[in-house]
């Protein structure tokens, strides 16, 4: 199977030891949205935030990959960025000075797919991951090899390829034996060592694509692949021009990363085989059964001696009638089990979607398909939301435990966690609304992200971006049914599906004009251009 038509890669690595105030990967490993309490940020300091610096990048250059913050072995804290033009940069986190800049490969021209919705060219879309012990960044790159499969130079979609890069953050040179061309390489497996996972889907649902999970051992460079659409019943065809000809079932999650408990990996799958098939079976399917085809599902996989293996899944009972409002628009969040649990469910997961629902899952038994009472969902709770959700949720594991959801065209909403036991016969809500923001976010807003100051009561802050209004901050604990706004300097919008990233007393965000903006307490604003 080829992955040359796929995009949206999201990363995690099993082994990360970084400086306390760093952000070496997208949010936290569990994708809970709580990014820790060691960034030296609390409400009182945020009220003194100013614009510190901003950088304007090249025309047509977009940053959907989130910036990362890392303290080099030399002691300097940097911001690492990667763009759709395949340009990577290291930037001084304090001054905004660009230290190194490199275009690692030419980007693939999006005109070849008749889809320039997000950018003129397609390069690095997914957020990289930094391996702190060696000052190395890993990321996937969309590029091309002229006339690789068919005549036509770079423009033909069949000549697009994906590379897996590893670069040193000091100088941005390639690590030995990298990059890896991951197209047309037979899958293999080697579960030992450090693994980076990436999910792929199709931009604009164009042409023939198949949802794919790729797992790469960064030490041995073995590549493992797992497809969401397989077996004789899949819609796969070798006609690359056919819409959904690969079966679809992409892994995109609106920019949210894959989640992990340190061993298994969790993600959602969008529309694929059977999604709109009225003749598809409505019989119950246990979650721990083998499935050749997974569509509109939450999936748990593991990597062992047999390669990537499906462990469990959940699919809404009404997925065939959701008119394309697929569950794949939202990622999966694994909650802090010391706070978010019940007497029967030790580990809890949440997922959101375009069907305006949030599902509370028992990660020990995710629910399969129609295994609940009278063929309904076997989940802990279904929470009905006022709008569709792109991305995921945020959590705050202190002061009783809160969940934050940012539906389209609706207020940011806080839910309180109640561990009371519930059964299908006598449901008691685990999540209940306890506060809302005064303002509504626009369509396809950002993913709630939460910080604190060492978990100190009253120090929690919920951060969320709005594509037109910029960056907002709220006190994590609602007061009298309201999320209390903390005033921030104005930012001119934000990239869609975005979330802020944090360093030592500073927050970094890509604004609606494509600039990287740094906010913090004190200092004079500095403006840079590339």
């Amino acid at each position: 199977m080829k992955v040359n038509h796929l995009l949206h890669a999201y990363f995690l690595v099993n082994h990360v030891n970084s400086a306390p105030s760093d952000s070496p990967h997208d949010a936290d490993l569990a994708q809970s949205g709580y990014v820790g309490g060691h960034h030296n940020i609390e409400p009182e300091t945020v009220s003194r935030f100013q614009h510190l610096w901003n950088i304007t990048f090249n025309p047509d250059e977009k940053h959907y990959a989130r910036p990362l913050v890392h303290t080099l072995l030399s002691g300097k804290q940097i911001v690492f960025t990667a763009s759709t033009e395949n340009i990577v940069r290291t930037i001084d986190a304090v001054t905004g000075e660009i230290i190194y800049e490199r275009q690692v490969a030419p980007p693939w021209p999006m005109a070849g797919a008749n889809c320039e919705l997000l950018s003129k060219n397609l390069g690095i879309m997914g957020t990289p991951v930094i391996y702190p012990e060696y000052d190395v960044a890993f990321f996937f790159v969309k590029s091309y090899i002229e006339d690789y499969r068919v005549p036509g130079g770079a423009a033909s979609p069949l000549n697009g390829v994906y590379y897996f890069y590893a670069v040193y953050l000091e100088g941005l040179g390639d690590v030995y034996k990298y990059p890896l061309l991951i197209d047309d390489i037979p899958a293999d497996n080697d579960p030992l060592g450090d693994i980076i996972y990436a999910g792929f889907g199709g931009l604009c649902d164009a042409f023939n694509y198949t949802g794919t999970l790729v797992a790469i051992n960064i030490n041995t460079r073995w590549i493992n692949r797992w497809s969401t659409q397989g077996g004789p019943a899949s819609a796969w065809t070798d006609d690359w021009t056919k819409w959904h000809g690969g079966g679809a079932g992409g892994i995109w999650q609106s920019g949210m990363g894959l989640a992990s408990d340190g061993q298994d990996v969790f993600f959602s799958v969008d529309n694929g085989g059977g999604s709109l098939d009225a003749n598809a079976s409505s019989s119950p399917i246990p979650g721990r059964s083998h499935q050749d085809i997974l569509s509109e599902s939450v999936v748990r996989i593991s990597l062992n001696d047999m390669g990537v293996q499906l462990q469990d899944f959940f699919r809404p009972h009404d997925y065939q009638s959701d008119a394309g409002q697929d569950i794949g628009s939202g990622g999966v969040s694994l909650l802090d089990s010391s706070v978010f649990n019940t007497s029967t469910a030790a580990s809890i997961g949440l997922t959101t979607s375009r069907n305006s629902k949030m599902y509370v899952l028992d990660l020990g038994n995710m629910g399969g398909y129609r295994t609940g009472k009278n063929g309904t969902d076997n989940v802990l709770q279904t929470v009905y939301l006022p709008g569709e959700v792109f991305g995921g949720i945020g959590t705050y594991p202190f002061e009783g435990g809160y969940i934050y959801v940012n539906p389209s065209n609706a207020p940011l909403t806080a839910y309180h966690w109640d561990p009371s036991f519930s059964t299908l016969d006598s449901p008691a809500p685990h999540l209940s609304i306890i506060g809302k923001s005064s303002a509504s976010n626009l369509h396809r807003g950002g993913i709630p992200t939460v910080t604190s100051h060492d978990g100190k009561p009253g120090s929690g802050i919920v951060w969320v971006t709005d594509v037109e209004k910029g960056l907002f901050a709220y006190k994590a604990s609602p007061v009298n049914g309201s999320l209390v706004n903390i005033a921030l300097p104005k930012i001119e919008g934000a990239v869609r599906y975005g979330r802020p990233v944090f360093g030592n007393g500073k927050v970094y965000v890509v604004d609606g004009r494509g600039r990287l903006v740094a906010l913090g307490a004190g200092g004079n604003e500095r403006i840079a251009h590339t």
Side-chain angles (χ1 to χ4, degrees):
M1 188 200 71
K2 300 181 178 69
V3 296
N4 55 300
H5 307 309
L6 309 180
L7 67 147
H8 288 302
Y10 307 103
F11 305 82
L12 62 91
V13 65
N14 291 336
H15 184 197
V16 174
N17 293 312
S18 58
S21 64
D22 286 352
S23 298
H25 48 71
D26 181 31
D28 59 311
L29 192 67
Q31 291 295 307
S32 74
Y34 177 65
V35 296
H38 303 293
H39 298 286
N40 296 314
I41 294 174
E42 55 185 320
E44 194 276 331
T45 58
V46 171
S47 65
R48 303 197 308 271
F49 268 20
Q50 304 174 21
H51 282 276
L52 299 180
W53 51 261
N54 68 73
I55 299 174
T56 298
F57 298 101
N58 299 326
D60 297 323
E61 190 176 7
K62 307 294 183 183
H63 287 80
Y64 295 107
R66 297 189 182 92
L68 300 177
V69 180
H70 170 64
T71 301
L72 298 169
L73 297 177
S74 65
K76 179 189 288 291
Q77 191 170 67
I78 63 164
V79 180
F80 178 71
T81 63
S83 78
T84 56
E85 294 294 305
N86 285 335
I87 298 174
V88 294
R89 297 179 178 90
T90 56
I91 301 163
D92 189 303
V94 175
T95 68
E97 176 188 1
I98 296 175
I99 304 170
Y100 297 108
E101 177 178 324
R102 176 192 173 197
Q103 185 176 47
V104 296
W108 184 72
M110 287 297 292
N114 300 315
C115 177
E116 297 181 81
L117 175 66
L118 296 180
S119 60
K120 180 179 179 180
N121 294 312
L122 180 59
I124 303 168
M125 292 288 287
T127 301
V129 66
I130 292 174
Y131 199 99
E133 289 89 339
Y134 300 106
D135 285 351
V136 170
F138 294 91
F139 48 91
F140 285 82
V141 168
K142 178 76 171 186
S143 187
Y144 60 86
I145 300 174
E146 291 192 357
D147 304 322
Y148 181 49
R149 298 185 180 94
V150 296
S156 171
L158 277 181
N159 292 332
V161 296
Y162 262 102
Y163 292 99
F164 180 58
Y165 268 81
V167 301
Y168 292 106
L169 293 172
E170 290 279 14
L172 298 179
D174 293 334
V175 173
Y176 179 58
K177 292 189 177 181
Y178 283 91
L180 305 178
L181 177 66
I182 68 170
D183 283 56
D184 303 326
I185 296 177
D188 206 329
N189 63 284
D190 182 355
L192 302 177
D194 297 299
I195 310 296
I196 288 181
Y197 296 87
F200 292 80
L203 184 61
C204 298
D205 283 349
F207 303 120
N208 178 327
Y209 75 92
T210 307
T212 303
L213 181 89
V214 176
I216 299 179
N217 185 308
I218 62 175
N219 297 316
T220 65
R221 302 183 307 284
W222 286 115
I223 299 172
N224 303 263
R225 292 205 190 109
W226 181 85
S227 173
T228 67
Q229 313 290 305
S234 74
W236 186 88
T237 171
D238 58 6
D239 178 2
W240 70 269
T241 64
K242 185 177 180 180
W243 183 80
H244 280 197
I251 305 169
W252 74 292
Q253 304 187 157
S254 304
M256 188 170 174
L258 306 178
S260 177
D261 59 4
Q263 180 174 348
D264 292 351
V265 179
F266 301 76
F267 53 90
S268 62
V269 180
D270 70 6
N271 296 319
S275 292
L276 301 176
D277 183 1
N279 297 317
S281 173
S282 59
S283 300
I285 303 174
R288 294 186 177 274
S289 60
H290 172 78
Q291 298 294 303
D292 286 333
I293 297 175
L294 283 163
S295 302
E296 300 196 47
S297 301
V298 178
V299 175
R300 178 177 189 164
I301 61 95
S302 64
L303 183 63
N304 56 34
D305 290 339
M306 300 297 292
V308 176
Q309 300 291 312
L310 174 66
Q311 296 297 321
D312 203 352
F313 80 96
F314 162 71
R315 180 185 302 139
H317 74 279
D318 56 352
Y319 83 103
Q320 292 167 292
S321 59
D322 66 5
Q325 296 178 346
D326 58 275
I327 201 171
S329 72
V332 184
S333 297
L334 314 183
L335 309 190
D336 185 331
S337 60
S338 67
V339 176
F340 303 98
N341 59 69
T342 74
S343 59
T344 60
S347 299
I348 305 294
L350 295 182
T351 190
T352 54
S353 69
R354 292 182 61 196
N355 67 2
S356 301
K357 297 176 185 177
M358 177 167 60
Y359 299 97
V360 184
L361 307 177
D362 176 359
L363 296 180
N365 176 19
M366 291 175 60
Y369 173 58
R370 288 180 174 259
T371 63
K373 184 178 180 180
N374 298 323
T376 57
D377 296 330
N378 185 11
V379 297
L380 297 176
Q381 184 182 359
T382 300
V383 180
Y384 292 86
L385 305 174
E388 57 189 1
V389 177
F390 291 86
I393 58 97
T395 70
Y396 183 49
F398 300 102
E399 302 179 58
Y402 295 95
I403 307 293
Y404 309 92
V405 187
N406 194 33
S408 292
N409 302 307
L412 174 68
T413 303
Y415 293 80
H416 186 259
W417 176 257
D418 180 357
S420 299
F421 176 72
S422 69
T423 67
L424 294 176
D425 295 320
S426 179
H430 294 294
L431 291 174
S432 55
I433 295 176
I434 196 169
K436 296 182 180 181
S437 65
S438 58
S440 295
N441 84 90
L442 295 178
H443 188 53
R444 301 183 180 184
I447 305 170
T449 308
V450 186
T451 60
S452 75
H453 186 65
D454 296 325
K456 184 176 67 176
S459 69
I461 303 173
V462 186
W463 307 77
V464 67
T465 58
D466 184 287
V467 293
E468 290 190 1
K469 301 174 185 176
L471 179 64
F472 289 87
Y474 300 91
K475 292 185 178 180
S477 297
V479 177
N480 297 324
S482 297
L483 286 167
V484 179
N485 180 260
I486 305 170
L488 289 173
K490 181 175 176 56
I491 291 178
E492 297 183 54
V495 66
R496 66 165 69 185
Y497 315 135
R499 69 157 100 225
V501 178
F502 304 91
N504 186 10
K506 299 175 180 62
V507 58
Y508 306 92
V509 64
V510 178
D511 73 6
R513 294 172 56 185
R515 302 176 303 179
L516 178 62
V517 178
L519 302 179
N524 297 316
E525 182 175 16
R526 179 182 182 276
I527 300 175
H529 299 270
T530 65

